[in-house]
Amino acid sequence: MKIAIIDTTKLFGSRSINKDLNGGFGTHDSFSDSIGGKIFERLRARAVYLPYLTSVYVYSILKQKGITVSYYHKNLPKSSYDIFLIVGSIVDYENENLLAGQLMKNYKNSKVGFIGPFPSTMPTLFPNADFIIDGEADAFFLYEFEKINTLDGIIKVENLINMDDLPSPDYSVFPYNSFKYKPILNQSPLLSIQASRGCPYSCGYYCTYPTSQGKQVRSRSPEALVDDIIFLKHNFGMKSLLFRDPIFGINKEFPYLLSEIIQTKDITFNWGIETRADLLNKKNLKEMYSAGLRSINIGIETNDPDIAKKNKRKLSELDHQNKIINYCNQLGIKVIGFFIIGLEGDSIQSVKNMIEFAINQNIFVARFSVSTPYPGTKFYDQLNKEDALLNKDFNNYNKFNYVIKNKNLNKKDVEELVSYSYKKYYLRWEKIYAL
């Protein structure tokens, strides 16, 4: 059996698209149509390029089963395969569907299908396929896949992956020397991994991670993860590792156990995580730093408690958050803060207050994006029910085009605030020097 995995990210020009982000729905950093916005997008495309981690795990599982698998990301297959698997996303679904149609036309004896949470959520947008994997693709190929002739229609995956059942992520067919996450983790090769999936927090109202991974947290053992890390260093020369967990360390003992084993085995590499400030303290930060932690992504999103409450967001206590950021700066851990513009209750003034707050936080990088109602979330369902969506052209659902009818802010207001936020935050001598 021969299988081809195809990702369109680099097939249609240089675009700042990363399909692994945003719960696997993907992001497209289309800042604006201005010259400055286009330049910023090009710079972002050159600085950040991450693997679609599910495809890495699917490849690793299929290889372990003795199946021949190829990966295409810059060129299209020139020969037939038994199965073509296309990575589906919200940010490039039209190109993905077009490609699927071409493959079905050219290779009539092959099966063409989609993997990813967005095709699972909106299968009607992917008509040019024999099948769509509805659920975790790696779980399907590990536990349920048996015969090619069963690949038809919408295939509901009955299982969630047990994280300890996953093989170590094998990057053999992937362009692992090309992946990057600059200026955050600068040493290459940079690879990605998952220690856990699932997020139980109430911000799942608008966040895609509970939609794609569920609320139940599933974790890989620290011992298995360290075996993965050794595998990645030995086989691919990994120097930087990005943990793609939505909430790293929700099990409070986990950071200590992992860090202890890394140090005991004397493994040297830099790594980054994404988590909440209220899961961090000086003790676990110091321990993780000693084991190589050098970056933390934190979803701050808003500094206004009333706006957070309206959007079902549990804020970290601001004094604690400030102390954590300051301590990270002392240690040499880069903090990346994520902020959302255009939340329910937002106004021009509240957004400007948030931007000033971001500047005063003294974080290494700030990412500003617009509130986006993704299909599959209760946020989308509510706005759709209330006829509060400006459009349902999902090409615009990329975190930079505003698609919400907001009584305080119109589309032009929000997009001008995004432009203002980046200029205000980054066009400062101290920030230009730091980057």
mmCIF file with all atom_site columns, all heavy atoms in Angstrom, residues 17-27 29 44 48 50-52 181 208-209 242 244 274 297 367 399:
data_model
loop_
_atom_site.group_PDB
_atom_site.id
_atom_site.type_symbol
_atom_site.label_atom_id
_atom_site.label_alt_id
_atom_site.label_comp_id
_atom_site.label_asym_id
_atom_site.label_entity_id
_atom_site.label_seq_id
_atom_site.pdbx_PDB_ins_code
_atom_site.Cartn_x
_atom_site.Cartn_y
_atom_site.Cartn_z
_atom_site.occupancy
_atom_site.B_iso_or_equiv
_atom_site.pdbx_formal_charge
_atom_site.auth_seq_id
_atom_site.auth_comp_id
_atom_site.auth_asym_id
_atom_site.auth_atom_id
_atom_site.pdbx_PDB_model_num
ATOM 1   N N   . ILE A 1 17  ? 0.926   31.138 6.285  1.00 0.00 ? 17  ILE A N   1
ATOM 2   C CA  . ILE A 1 17  ? -0.103  30.180 6.711  1.00 0.00 ? 17  ILE A CA  1
ATOM 3   C C   . ILE A 1 17  ? 0.555   29.117 7.578  1.00 0.00 ? 17  ILE A C   1
ATOM 4   O O   . ILE A 1 17  ? 1.604   28.575 7.234  1.00 0.00 ? 17  ILE A O   1
ATOM 5   C CB  . ILE A 1 17  ? -0.788  29.529 5.490  1.00 0.00 ? 17  ILE A CB  1
ATOM 6   C CG1 . ILE A 1 17  ? -1.758  30.527 4.837  1.00 0.00 ? 17  ILE A CG1 1
ATOM 7   C CG2 . ILE A 1 17  ? -1.531  28.257 5.890  1.00 0.00 ? 17  ILE A CG2 1
ATOM 8   C CD1 . ILE A 1 17  ? -2.452  30.000 3.601  1.00 0.00 ? 17  ILE A CD1 1
ATOM 9   N N   . ASN A 1 18  ? -0.076  28.839 8.722  1.00 0.00 ? 18  ASN A N   1
ATOM 10  C CA  . ASN A 1 18  ? 0.371   27.748 9.575  1.00 0.00 ? 18  ASN A CA  1
ATOM 11  C C   . ASN A 1 18  ? -0.853  26.953 10.009 1.00 0.00 ? 18  ASN A C   1
ATOM 12  O O   . ASN A 1 18  ? -1.649  27.412 10.832 1.00 0.00 ? 18  ASN A O   1
ATOM 13  C CB  . ASN A 1 18  ? 1.143   28.277 10.779 1.00 0.00 ? 18  ASN A CB  1
ATOM 14  C CG  . ASN A 1 18  ? 2.579   28.618 10.439 1.00 0.00 ? 18  ASN A CG  1
ATOM 15  O OD1 . ASN A 1 18  ? 3.399   27.735 10.266 1.00 0.00 ? 18  ASN A OD1 1
ATOM 16  N ND2 . ASN A 1 18  ? 2.872   29.903 10.311 1.00 0.00 ? 18  ASN A ND2 1
ATOM 17  N N   . LYS A 1 19  ? -1.000  25.759 9.442  1.00 0.00 ? 19  LYS A N   1
ATOM 18  C CA  . LYS A 1 19  ? -2.213  24.969 9.658  1.00 0.00 ? 19  LYS A CA  1
ATOM 19  C C   . LYS A 1 19  ? -2.253  24.286 11.021 1.00 0.00 ? 19  LYS A C   1
ATOM 20  O O   . LYS A 1 19  ? -3.323  23.852 11.456 1.00 0.00 ? 19  LYS A O   1
ATOM 21  C CB  . LYS A 1 19  ? -2.365  23.942 8.538  1.00 0.00 ? 19  LYS A CB  1
ATOM 22  C CG  . LYS A 1 19  ? -2.567  24.572 7.168  1.00 0.00 ? 19  LYS A CG  1
ATOM 23  C CD  . LYS A 1 19  ? -2.808  23.516 6.106  1.00 0.00 ? 19  LYS A CD  1
ATOM 24  C CE  . LYS A 1 19  ? -2.940  24.155 4.732  1.00 0.00 ? 19  LYS A CE  1
ATOM 25  N NZ  . LYS A 1 19  ? -3.176  23.152 3.675  1.00 0.00 ? 19  LYS A NZ  1
ATOM 26  N N   . ASP A 1 20  ? -1.126  24.164 11.693 1.00 0.00 ? 20  ASP A N   1
ATOM 27  C CA  . ASP A 1 20  ? -1.129  23.501 12.990 1.00 0.00 ? 20  ASP A CA  1
ATOM 28  C C   . ASP A 1 20  ? -1.666  24.408 14.093 1.00 0.00 ? 20  ASP A C   1
ATOM 29  O O   . ASP A 1 20  ? -2.067  23.936 15.153 1.00 0.00 ? 20  ASP A O   1
ATOM 30  C CB  . ASP A 1 20  ? 0.289   23.040 13.352 1.00 0.00 ? 20  ASP A CB  1
ATOM 31  C CG  . ASP A 1 20  ? 0.286   21.963 14.416 1.00 0.00 ? 20  ASP A CG  1
ATOM 32  O OD1 . ASP A 1 20  ? -0.374  20.933 14.209 1.00 0.00 ? 20  ASP A OD1 1
ATOM 33  O OD2 . ASP A 1 20  ? 0.929   22.150 15.463 1.00 0.00 ? 20  ASP A OD2 1
ATOM 34  N N   . LEU A 1 21  ? -1.653  25.715 13.845 1.00 0.00 ? 21  LEU A N   1
ATOM 35  C CA  . LEU A 1 21  ? -2.086  26.671 14.865 1.00 0.00 ? 21  LEU A CA  1
ATOM 36  C C   . LEU A 1 21  ? -3.611  26.754 14.910 1.00 0.00 ? 21  LEU A C   1
ATOM 37  O O   . LEU A 1 21  ? -4.317  26.234 14.054 1.00 0.00 ? 21  LEU A O   1
ATOM 38  C CB  . LEU A 1 21  ? -1.482  28.049 14.578 1.00 0.00 ? 21  LEU A CB  1
ATOM 39  C CG  . LEU A 1 21  ? 0.051   28.100 14.533 1.00 0.00 ? 21  LEU A CG  1
ATOM 40  C CD1 . LEU A 1 21  ? 0.525   29.519 14.233 1.00 0.00 ? 21  LEU A CD1 1
ATOM 41  C CD2 . LEU A 1 21  ? 0.670   27.588 15.828 1.00 0.00 ? 21  LEU A CD2 1
ATOM 42  N N   . ASN A 1 22  ? -4.108  27.404 15.975 1.00 0.00 ? 22  ASN A N   1
ATOM 43  C CA  . ASN A 1 22  ? -5.544  27.643 16.092 1.00 0.00 ? 22  ASN A CA  1
ATOM 44  C C   . ASN A 1 22  ? -6.323  26.328 16.137 1.00 0.00 ? 22  ASN A C   1
ATOM 45  O O   . ASN A 1 22  ? -7.342  26.162 15.467 1.00 0.00 ? 22  ASN A O   1
ATOM 46  C CB  . ASN A 1 22  ? -6.011  28.532 14.928 1.00 0.00 ? 22  ASN A CB  1
ATOM 47  C CG  . ASN A 1 22  ? -7.401  29.080 15.130 1.00 0.00 ? 22  ASN A CG  1
ATOM 48  O OD1 . ASN A 1 22  ? -7.848  29.280 16.252 1.00 0.00 ? 22  ASN A OD1 1
ATOM 49  N ND2 . ASN A 1 22  ? -8.096  29.320 14.027 1.00 0.00 ? 22  ASN A ND2 1
ATOM 50  N N   . GLY A 1 23  ? -5.815  25.400 16.949 1.00 0.00 ? 23  GLY A N   1
ATOM 51  C CA  . GLY A 1 23  ? -6.502  24.129 17.120 1.00 0.00 ? 23  GLY A CA  1
ATOM 52  C C   . GLY A 1 23  ? -6.549  23.281 15.873 1.00 0.00 ? 23  GLY A C   1
ATOM 53  O O   . GLY A 1 23  ? -7.403  22.404 15.741 1.00 0.00 ? 23  GLY A O   1
ATOM 54  N N   . GLY A 1 24  ? -5.611  23.516 14.935 1.00 0.00 ? 24  GLY A N   1
ATOM 55  C CA  . GLY A 1 24  ? -5.598  22.760 13.688 1.00 0.00 ? 24  GLY A CA  1
ATOM 56  C C   . GLY A 1 24  ? -6.481  23.346 12.613 1.00 0.00 ? 24  GLY A C   1
ATOM 57  O O   . GLY A 1 24  ? -6.499  22.842 11.484 1.00 0.00 ? 24  GLY A O   1
ATOM 58  N N   . PHE A 1 25  ? -7.232  24.420 12.921 1.00 0.00 ? 25  PHE A N   1
ATOM 59  C CA  . PHE A 1 25  ? -8.008  25.117 11.884 1.00 0.00 ? 25  PHE A CA  1
ATOM 60  C C   . PHE A 1 25  ? -7.072  25.924 10.985 1.00 0.00 ? 25  PHE A C   1
ATOM 61  O O   . PHE A 1 25  ? -7.363  26.140 9.823  1.00 0.00 ? 25  PHE A O   1
ATOM 62  C CB  . PHE A 1 25  ? -9.029  26.065 12.524 1.00 0.00 ? 25  PHE A CB  1
ATOM 63  C CG  . PHE A 1 25  ? -10.323 25.399 12.910 1.00 0.00 ? 25  PHE A CG  1
ATOM 64  C CD1 . PHE A 1 25  ? -10.343 24.304 13.748 1.00 0.00 ? 25  PHE A CD1 1
ATOM 65  C CD2 . PHE A 1 25  ? -11.529 25.886 12.440 1.00 0.00 ? 25  PHE A CD2 1
ATOM 66  C CE1 . PHE A 1 25  ? -11.526 23.687 14.112 1.00 0.00 ? 25  PHE A CE1 1
ATOM 67  C CE2 . PHE A 1 25  ? -12.735 25.291 12.793 1.00 0.00 ? 25  PHE A CE2 1
ATOM 68  C CZ  . PHE A 1 25  ? -12.733 24.171 13.636 1.00 0.00 ? 25  PHE A CZ  1
ATOM 69  N N   . GLY A 1 26  ? -5.948  26.374 11.559 1.00 0.00 ? 26  GLY A N   1
ATOM 70  C CA  . GLY A 1 26  ? -4.969  27.134 10.801 1.00 0.00 ? 26  GLY A CA  1
ATOM 71  C C   . GLY A 1 26  ? -5.116  28.630 10.978 1.00 0.00 ? 26  GLY A C   1
ATOM 72  O O   . GLY A 1 26  ? -6.181  29.135 11.351 1.00 0.00 ? 26  GLY A O   1
ATOM 73  N N   . THR A 1 27  ? -4.027  29.339 10.717 1.00 0.00 ? 27  THR A N   1
ATOM 74  C CA  . THR A 1 27  ? -4.027  30.802 10.718 1.00 0.00 ? 27  THR A CA  1
ATOM 75  C C   . THR A 1 27  ? -3.393  31.306 9.431  1.00 0.00 ? 27  THR A C   1
ATOM 76  O O   . THR A 1 27  ? -2.538  30.643 8.834  1.00 0.00 ? 27  THR A O   1
ATOM 77  C CB  . THR A 1 27  ? -3.240  31.381 11.913 1.00 0.00 ? 27  THR A CB  1
ATOM 78  O OG1 . THR A 1 27  ? -1.865  30.953 11.835 1.00 0.00 ? 27  THR A OG1 1
ATOM 79  C CG2 . THR A 1 27  ? -3.836  30.943 13.234 1.00 0.00 ? 27  THR A CG2 1
ATOM 80  N N   . ASP A 1 29  ? -1.753  34.964 8.423  1.00 0.00 ? 29  ASP A N   1
ATOM 81  C CA  . ASP A 1 29  ? -1.434  36.314 8.899  1.00 0.00 ? 29  ASP A CA  1
ATOM 82  C C   . ASP A 1 29  ? -1.512  37.316 7.762  1.00 0.00 ? 29  ASP A C   1
ATOM 83  O O   . ASP A 1 29  ? -0.510  37.784 7.230  1.00 0.00 ? 29  ASP A O   1
ATOM 84  C CB  . ASP A 1 29  ? -0.041  36.337 9.533  1.00 0.00 ? 29  ASP A CB  1
ATOM 85  C CG  . ASP A 1 29  ? 0.008   35.525 10.815 1.00 0.00 ? 29  ASP A CG  1
ATOM 86  O OD1 . ASP A 1 29  ? -1.063  35.267 11.379 1.00 0.00 ? 29  ASP A OD1 1
ATOM 87  O OD2 . ASP A 1 29  ? 1.106   35.153 11.244 1.00 0.00 ? 29  ASP A OD2 1
ATOM 88  N N   . ARG A 1 44  ? 6.723   37.598 8.367  1.00 0.00 ? 44  ARG A N   1
ATOM 89  C CA  . ARG A 1 44  ? 6.165   36.562 9.229  1.00 0.00 ? 44  ARG A CA  1
ATOM 90  C C   . ARG A 1 44  ? 6.282   35.188 8.565  1.00 0.00 ? 44  ARG A C   1
ATOM 91  O O   . ARG A 1 44  ? 6.610   34.191 9.215  1.00 0.00 ? 44  ARG A O   1
ATOM 92  C CB  . ARG A 1 44  ? 4.705   36.895 9.516  1.00 0.00 ? 44  ARG A CB  1
ATOM 93  C CG  . ARG A 1 44  ? 3.917   35.821 10.228 1.00 0.00 ? 44  ARG A CG  1
ATOM 94  C CD  . ARG A 1 44  ? 4.167   35.784 11.696 1.00 0.00 ? 44  ARG A CD  1
ATOM 95  N NE  . ARG A 1 44  ? 3.293   34.794 12.334 1.00 0.00 ? 44  ARG A NE  1
ATOM 96  C CZ  . ARG A 1 44  ? 3.348   34.456 13.605 1.00 0.00 ? 44  ARG A CZ  1
ATOM 97  N NH1 . ARG A 1 44  ? 4.233   35.026 14.397 1.00 0.00 ? 44  ARG A NH1 1
ATOM 98  N NH2 . ARG A 1 44  ? 2.521   33.553 14.107 1.00 0.00 ? 44  ARG A NH2 1
ATOM 99  N N   . VAL A 1 48  ? 8.198   32.166 10.639 1.00 0.00 ? 48  VAL A N   1
ATOM 100 C CA  . VAL A 1 48  ? 7.440   31.107 11.312 1.00 0.00 ? 48  VAL A CA  1
ATOM 101 C C   . VAL A 1 48  ? 6.928   30.108 10.287 1.00 0.00 ? 48  VAL A C   1
ATOM 102 O O   . VAL A 1 48  ? 6.186   30.455 9.366  1.00 0.00 ? 48  VAL A O   1
ATOM 103 C CB  . VAL A 1 48  ? 6.262   31.686 12.120 1.00 0.00 ? 48  VAL A CB  1
ATOM 104 C CG1 . VAL A 1 48  ? 5.466   30.559 12.768 1.00 0.00 ? 48  VAL A CG1 1
ATOM 105 C CG2 . VAL A 1 48  ? 6.758   32.667 13.171 1.00 0.00 ? 48  VAL A CG2 1
ATOM 106 N N   . LEU A 1 50  ? 5.704   26.033 10.807 1.00 0.00 ? 50  LEU A N   1
ATOM 107 C CA  . LEU A 1 50  ? 5.586   24.900 11.720 1.00 0.00 ? 50  LEU A CA  1
ATOM 108 C C   . LEU A 1 50  ? 4.989   23.694 11.003 1.00 0.00 ? 50  LEU A C   1
ATOM 109 O O   . LEU A 1 50  ? 4.163   23.843 10.107 1.00 0.00 ? 50  LEU A O   1
ATOM 110 C CB  . LEU A 1 50  ? 4.697   25.265 12.917 1.00 0.00 ? 50  LEU A CB  1
ATOM 111 C CG  . LEU A 1 50  ? 5.177   26.428 13.784 1.00 0.00 ? 50  LEU A CG  1
ATOM 112 C CD1 . LEU A 1 50  ? 4.146   26.728 14.872 1.00 0.00 ? 50  LEU A CD1 1
ATOM 113 C CD2 . LEU A 1 50  ? 6.534   26.134 14.406 1.00 0.00 ? 50  LEU A CD2 1
ATOM 114 N N   . PRO A 1 51  ? 5.389   22.496 11.400 1.00 0.00 ? 51  PRO A N   1
ATOM 115 C CA  . PRO A 1 51  ? 4.787   21.302 10.803 1.00 0.00 ? 51  PRO A CA  1
ATOM 116 C C   . PRO A 1 51  ? 3.352   21.127 11.259 1.00 0.00 ? 51  PRO A C   1
ATOM 117 O O   . PRO A 1 51  ? 2.995   21.538 12.370 1.00 0.00 ? 51  PRO A O   1
ATOM 118 C CB  . PRO A 1 51  ? 5.665   20.162 11.338 1.00 0.00 ? 51  PRO A CB  1
ATOM 119 C CG  . PRO A 1 51  ? 6.192   20.686 12.646 1.00 0.00 ? 51  PRO A CG  1
ATOM 120 C CD  . PRO A 1 51  ? 6.385   22.161 12.441 1.00 0.00 ? 51  PRO A CD  1
ATOM 121 N N   . TYR A 1 52  ? 2.537   20.522 10.390 1.00 0.00 ? 52  TYR A N   1
ATOM 122 C CA  . TYR A 1 52  ? 1.201   20.111 10.811 1.00 0.00 ? 52  TYR A CA  1
ATOM 123 C C   . TYR A 1 52  ? 1.384   18.800 11.560 1.00 0.00 ? 52  TYR A C   1
ATOM 124 O O   . TYR A 1 52  ? 1.592   17.739 10.967 1.00 0.00 ? 52  TYR A O   1
ATOM 125 C CB  . TYR A 1 52  ? 0.268   19.956 9.606  1.00 0.00 ? 52  TYR A CB  1
ATOM 126 C CG  . TYR A 1 52  ? -1.140  19.593 10.000 1.00 0.00 ? 52  TYR A CG  1
ATOM 127 C CD1 . TYR A 1 52  ? -1.962  20.532 10.620 1.00 0.00 ? 52  TYR A CD1 1
ATOM 128 C CD2 . TYR A 1 52  ? -1.649  18.316 9.775  1.00 0.00 ? 52  TYR A CD2 1
ATOM 129 C CE1 . TYR A 1 52  ? -3.263  20.206 11.002 1.00 0.00 ? 52  TYR A CE1 1
ATOM 130 C CE2 . TYR A 1 52  ? -2.943  17.985 10.149 1.00 0.00 ? 52  TYR A CE2 1
ATOM 131 C CZ  . TYR A 1 52  ? -3.740  18.941 10.765 1.00 0.00 ? 52  TYR A CZ  1
ATOM 132 O OH  . TYR A 1 52  ? -5.009  18.622 11.156 1.00 0.00 ? 52  TYR A OH  1
ATOM 133 N N   . TYR A 1 181 ? 10.638  29.007 14.188 1.00 0.00 ? 181 TYR A N   1
ATOM 134 C CA  . TYR A 1 181 ? 9.745   29.766 15.072 1.00 0.00 ? 181 TYR A CA  1
ATOM 135 C C   . TYR A 1 181 ? 10.547  30.944 15.619 1.00 0.00 ? 181 TYR A C   1
ATOM 136 O O   . TYR A 1 181 ? 10.886  31.013 16.794 1.00 0.00 ? 181 TYR A O   1
ATOM 137 C CB  . TYR A 1 181 ? 9.241   28.859 16.206 1.00 0.00 ? 181 TYR A CB  1
ATOM 138 C CG  . TYR A 1 181 ? 8.071   29.411 16.994 1.00 0.00 ? 181 TYR A CG  1
ATOM 139 C CD1 . TYR A 1 181 ? 6.922   29.859 16.357 1.00 0.00 ? 181 TYR A CD1 1
ATOM 140 C CD2 . TYR A 1 181 ? 8.115   29.471 18.387 1.00 0.00 ? 181 TYR A CD2 1
ATOM 141 C CE1 . TYR A 1 181 ? 5.852   30.358 17.078 1.00 0.00 ? 181 TYR A CE1 1
ATOM 142 C CE2 . TYR A 1 181 ? 7.048   29.967 19.114 1.00 0.00 ? 181 TYR A CE2 1
ATOM 143 C CZ  . TYR A 1 181 ? 5.921   30.400 18.458 1.00 0.00 ? 181 TYR A CZ  1
ATOM 144 O OH  . TYR A 1 181 ? 4.855   30.901 19.187 1.00 0.00 ? 181 TYR A OH  1
ATOM 145 N N   . THR A 1 208 ? -10.905 27.151 19.514 1.00 0.00 ? 208 THR A N   1
ATOM 146 C CA  . THR A 1 208 ? -11.063 25.942 18.708 1.00 0.00 ? 208 THR A CA  1
ATOM 147 C C   . THR A 1 208 ? -10.443 24.697 19.341 1.00 0.00 ? 208 THR A C   1
ATOM 148 O O   . THR A 1 208 ? -10.741 23.582 18.902 1.00 0.00 ? 208 THR A O   1
ATOM 149 C CB  . THR A 1 208 ? -10.417 26.140 17.328 1.00 0.00 ? 208 THR A CB  1
ATOM 150 O OG1 . THR A 1 208 ? -9.054  26.550 17.516 1.00 0.00 ? 208 THR A OG1 1
ATOM 151 C CG2 . THR A 1 208 ? -11.157 27.197 16.529 1.00 0.00 ? 208 THR A CG2 1
ATOM 152 N N   . TYR A 1 209 ? -9.593  24.852 20.349 1.00 0.00 ? 209 TYR A N   1
ATOM 153 C CA  . TYR A 1 209 ? -8.907  23.668 20.891 1.00 0.00 ? 209 TYR A CA  1
ATOM 154 C C   . TYR A 1 209 ? -9.872  22.648 21.506 1.00 0.00 ? 209 TYR A C   1
ATOM 155 O O   . TYR A 1 209 ? -9.758  21.444 21.225 1.00 0.00 ? 209 TYR A O   1
ATOM 156 C CB  . TYR A 1 209 ? -7.824  24.079 21.879 1.00 0.00 ? 209 TYR A CB  1
ATOM 157 C CG  . TYR A 1 209 ? -6.575  24.531 21.181 1.00 0.00 ? 209 TYR A CG  1
ATOM 158 C CD1 . TYR A 1 209 ? -6.300  25.886 20.993 1.00 0.00 ? 209 TYR A CD1 1
ATOM 159 C CD2 . TYR A 1 209 ? -5.659  23.611 20.661 1.00 0.00 ? 209 TYR A CD2 1
ATOM 160 C CE1 . TYR A 1 209 ? -5.167  26.305 20.315 1.00 0.00 ? 209 TYR A CE1 1
ATOM 161 C CE2 . TYR A 1 209 ? -4.520  24.025 19.995 1.00 0.00 ? 209 TYR A CE2 1
ATOM 162 C CZ  . TYR A 1 209 ? -4.282  25.372 19.822 1.00 0.00 ? 209 TYR A CZ  1
ATOM 163 O OH  . TYR A 1 209 ? -3.162  25.775 19.145 1.00 0.00 ? 209 TYR A OH  1
ATOM 164 N N   . LEU A 1 242 ? 9.136   22.685 20.176 1.00 0.00 ? 242 LEU A N   1
ATOM 165 C CA  . LEU A 1 242 ? 7.944   23.437 20.537 1.00 0.00 ? 242 LEU A CA  1
ATOM 166 C C   . LEU A 1 242 ? 6.842   22.463 20.939 1.00 0.00 ? 242 LEU A C   1
ATOM 167 O O   . LEU A 1 242 ? 6.399   21.641 20.138 1.00 0.00 ? 242 LEU A O   1
ATOM 168 C CB  . LEU A 1 242 ? 7.473   24.293 19.364 1.00 0.00 ? 242 LEU A CB  1
ATOM 169 C CG  . LEU A 1 242 ? 6.302   25.240 19.631 1.00 0.00 ? 242 LEU A CG  1
ATOM 170 C CD1 . LEU A 1 242 ? 6.663   26.273 20.695 1.00 0.00 ? 242 LEU A CD1 1
ATOM 171 C CD2 . LEU A 1 242 ? 5.876   25.943 18.342 1.00 0.00 ? 242 LEU A CD2 1
ATOM 172 N N   . ARG A 1 244 ? 3.209   21.564 21.456 1.00 0.00 ? 244 ARG A N   1
ATOM 173 C CA  . ARG A 1 244 ? 1.988   22.089 20.860 1.00 0.00 ? 244 ARG A CA  1
ATOM 174 C C   . ARG A 1 244 ? 0.754   21.708 21.689 1.00 0.00 ? 244 ARG A C   1
ATOM 175 O O   . ARG A 1 244 ? -0.320  21.465 21.152 1.00 0.00 ? 244 ARG A O   1
ATOM 176 C CB  . ARG A 1 244 ? 1.856   21.586 19.417 1.00 0.00 ? 244 ARG A CB  1
ATOM 177 C CG  . ARG A 1 244 ? 2.899   22.163 18.457 1.00 0.00 ? 244 ARG A CG  1
ATOM 178 C CD  . ARG A 1 244 ? 2.725   23.653 18.196 1.00 0.00 ? 244 ARG A CD  1
ATOM 179 N NE  . ARG A 1 244 ? 1.430   23.878 17.592 1.00 0.00 ? 244 ARG A NE  1
ATOM 180 C CZ  . ARG A 1 244 ? 0.490   24.651 18.116 1.00 0.00 ? 244 ARG A CZ  1
ATOM 181 N NH1 . ARG A 1 244 ? 0.687   25.289 19.264 1.00 0.00 ? 244 ARG A NH1 1
ATOM 182 N NH2 . ARG A 1 244 ? -0.660  24.794 17.512 1.00 0.00 ? 244 ARG A NH2 1
ATOM 183 N N   . GLU A 1 274 ? 3.007   26.477 25.597 1.00 0.00 ? 274 GLU A N   1
ATOM 184 C CA  . GLU A 1 274 ? 1.856   27.383 25.660 1.00 0.00 ? 274 GLU A CA  1
ATOM 185 C C   . GLU A 1 274 ? 1.041   27.006 26.885 1.00 0.00 ? 274 GLU A C   1
ATOM 186 O O   . GLU A 1 274 ? 0.741   25.835 27.103 1.00 0.00 ? 274 GLU A O   1
ATOM 187 C CB  . GLU A 1 274 ? 1.010   27.260 24.398 1.00 0.00 ? 274 GLU A CB  1
ATOM 188 C CG  . GLU A 1 274 ? -0.193  28.201 24.370 1.00 0.00 ? 274 GLU A CG  1
ATOM 189 C CD  . GLU A 1 274 ? -0.851  28.274 23.006 1.00 0.00 ? 274 GLU A CD  1
ATOM 190 O OE1 . GLU A 1 274 ? -0.160  28.047 22.001 1.00 0.00 ? 274 GLU A OE1 1
ATOM 191 O OE2 . GLU A 1 274 ? -2.057  28.567 22.955 1.00 0.00 ? 274 GLU A OE2 1
ATOM 192 N N   . ASN A 1 297 ? 4.206   30.821 25.474 1.00 0.00 ? 297 ASN A N   1
ATOM 193 C CA  . ASN A 1 297 ? 3.069   31.516 24.873 1.00 0.00 ? 297 ASN A CA  1
ATOM 194 C C   . ASN A 1 297 ? 1.947   31.583 25.903 1.00 0.00 ? 297 ASN A C   1
ATOM 195 O O   . ASN A 1 297 ? 1.562   30.556 26.466 1.00 0.00 ? 297 ASN A O   1
ATOM 196 C CB  . ASN A 1 297 ? 2.566   30.775 23.645 1.00 0.00 ? 297 ASN A CB  1
ATOM 197 C CG  . ASN A 1 297 ? 3.566   30.772 22.509 1.00 0.00 ? 297 ASN A CG  1
ATOM 198 O OD1 . ASN A 1 297 ? 4.565   31.477 22.536 1.00 0.00 ? 297 ASN A OD1 1
ATOM 199 N ND2 . ASN A 1 297 ? 3.308   29.963 21.498 1.00 0.00 ? 297 ASN A ND2 1
ATOM 200 N N   . ARG A 1 367 ? 1.129   39.372 20.029 1.00 0.00 ? 367 ARG A N   1
ATOM 201 C CA  . ARG A 1 367 ? 0.390   39.043 18.811 1.00 0.00 ? 367 ARG A CA  1
ATOM 202 C C   . ARG A 1 367 ? -1.045  39.532 18.983 1.00 0.00 ? 367 ARG A C   1
ATOM 203 O O   . ARG A 1 367 ? -1.743  39.112 19.905 1.00 0.00 ? 367 ARG A O   1
ATOM 204 C CB  . ARG A 1 367 ? 0.405   37.545 18.544 1.00 0.00 ? 367 ARG A CB  1
ATOM 205 C CG  . ARG A 1 367 ? -0.412  37.127 17.319 1.00 0.00 ? 367 ARG A CG  1
ATOM 206 C CD  . ARG A 1 367 ? -0.309  35.631 17.073 1.00 0.00 ? 367 ARG A CD  1
ATOM 207 N NE  . ARG A 1 367 ? -1.263  35.164 16.083 1.00 0.00 ? 367 ARG A NE  1
ATOM 208 C CZ  . ARG A 1 367 ? -1.093  35.211 14.770 1.00 0.00 ? 367 ARG A CZ  1
ATOM 209 N NH1 . ARG A 1 367 ? 0.022   35.722 14.279 1.00 0.00 ? 367 ARG A NH1 1
ATOM 210 N NH2 . ARG A 1 367 ? -2.017  34.750 13.930 1.00 0.00 ? 367 ARG A NH2 1
ATOM 211 N N   . LYS A 1 399 ? -8.489  35.299 11.497 1.00 0.00 ? 399 LYS A N   1
ATOM 212 C CA  . LYS A 1 399 ? -8.021  36.059 12.659 1.00 0.00 ? 399 LYS A CA  1
ATOM 213 C C   . LYS A 1 399 ? -7.584  37.488 12.333 1.00 0.00 ? 399 LYS A C   1
ATOM 214 O O   . LYS A 1 399 ? -7.126  38.218 13.214 1.00 0.00 ? 399 LYS A O   1
ATOM 215 C CB  . LYS A 1 399 ? -6.886  35.336 13.410 1.00 0.00 ? 399 LYS A CB  1
ATOM 216 C CG  . LYS A 1 399 ? -7.374  34.162 14.257 1.00 0.00 ? 399 LYS A CG  1
ATOM 217 C CD  . LYS A 1 399 ? -6.271  33.621 15.141 1.00 0.00 ? 399 LYS A CD  1
ATOM 218 C CE  . LYS A 1 399 ? -6.801  32.572 16.099 1.00 0.00 ? 399 LYS A CE  1
ATOM 219 N NZ  . LYS A 1 399 ? -7.648  33.122 17.164 1.00 0.00 ? 399 LYS A NZ  1
#
